[in-house]
Amino acid sequence: MTVSTKKPLANKIALAFLLIFPLSASVQAQECTYLTGPADAGEAIAASGSTGVSKAWYGDATTDYAHGVLGDTVEANVLYAEVQGKDTCAAAIRLPGSSVFEDVTPRIGDVTGDGVNDVVVIESHRELGASLAIYGTEEGQLLKLASTPYIGRAFRWLAPVGIADFTGDNIADVAYVETPHIGGILKIWSFANEVPELVVAMDGFSNHRIGENTITGGIRHCGDGVEMVLPDTHWENTLIARYRNKSITTEIYANDTSADTVQRALQCK
């Protein structure tokens, strides 16, 4: 008995086409389409060698939230995140119509203590104001892991200072100034094991002026533990704030809050 090894004509034609016109890398790769976010919003890139989220940015610009604290009324509806080692399109999550991402840029860091990078963002609700939210990825999807309570009133905002291990438990915390334009309160939150816990709060600070699209100050490491650099409430002094013995202590770095002064403080000069 003879067994035929002839292929159907259609298969022969398809094979010949591929031999003559091989698929380009761009065709073989998955095409990813992303909605454009606010023009002045930044993107976050994770430190090399870390796991979890490697890049995050905002998309789908909207003018439906007319606060304008960052200089215009353009905010974002969508958060995108790429995951280290995953050759796929970025994960995305869209907020409900009652909320927007009212932020200058996402932030990346492991704040839940599982060794995997999370995304730290500012969400603002039309009636309840801002909240700090933590997102992570699971099976290619972005999920909200934890968040602080909303401030409780429309058009009330918060400005992050930074991500660092303030408490010494080897898990990064998040510091921000709540209502930096009207009697700012510096707050440090822990999100260990995805459980939000207010570590400490102290008034007398600011780190943002209405209409600016940048946040002033940040975190520094100058050999004496984690320190925060930020202006006082009235923007008269640049302060160095430290969390020690379950409370915040401050010292005046300089009697001005110019960009040059703040930058020198951040550089430990």
Side-chain angles (χ1 to χ4, degrees), residues 206-220:
S206 184
N207 60 346
H208 183 264
R209 284 175 162 146
I210 292 176
E212 295 183 350
N213 63 0
T214 58
I215 294 173
T216 299
I219 303 294
R220 75 176 194 174

Side-chain angles (χ1 to χ4, degrees), residues 55-119:
K55 180 180 177 181
W57 69 98
Y58 295 122
D60 193 17
T62 177
T63 57
D64 290 342
Y65 187 73
H67 189 192
V69 73
L70 296 173
D72 56 35
T73 57
V74 182
E75 310 304 342
N77 285 322
V78 174
L79 172 66
Y80 293 110
E82 293 180 354
V83 178
Q84 188 72 35
K86 299 290 185 181
D87 188 19
T88 60
C89 294
I93 192 163
R94 174 180 292 275
L95 291 180
S98 57
S99 300
V100 296
F101 294 105
E102 189 180 17
D103 204 351
V104 296
T105 184
R107 296 143 203 88
I108 296 176
D110 174 21
V111 299
T112 56
D114 61 357
V116 178
N117 281 337
D118 310 301
V119 188

Side-chain angles (χ1 to χ4, degrees), residues 198-209:
L198 179 60
V199 176
V200 69
M202 181 178 179
D203 60 10
F205 301 89
S206 184
N207 60 346
H208 183 264
R209 284 175 162 146

Side-chain angles (χ1 to χ4, degrees), residues 225-243:
V226 180
E227 298 175 321
M228 294 167 279
V229 177
L230 64 172
D232 63 15
T233 298
H234 304 292
W235 287 77
E236 294 174 348
N237 303 300
T238 296
L239 304 176
I240 306 299
R242 306 176 182 89
Y243 177 71

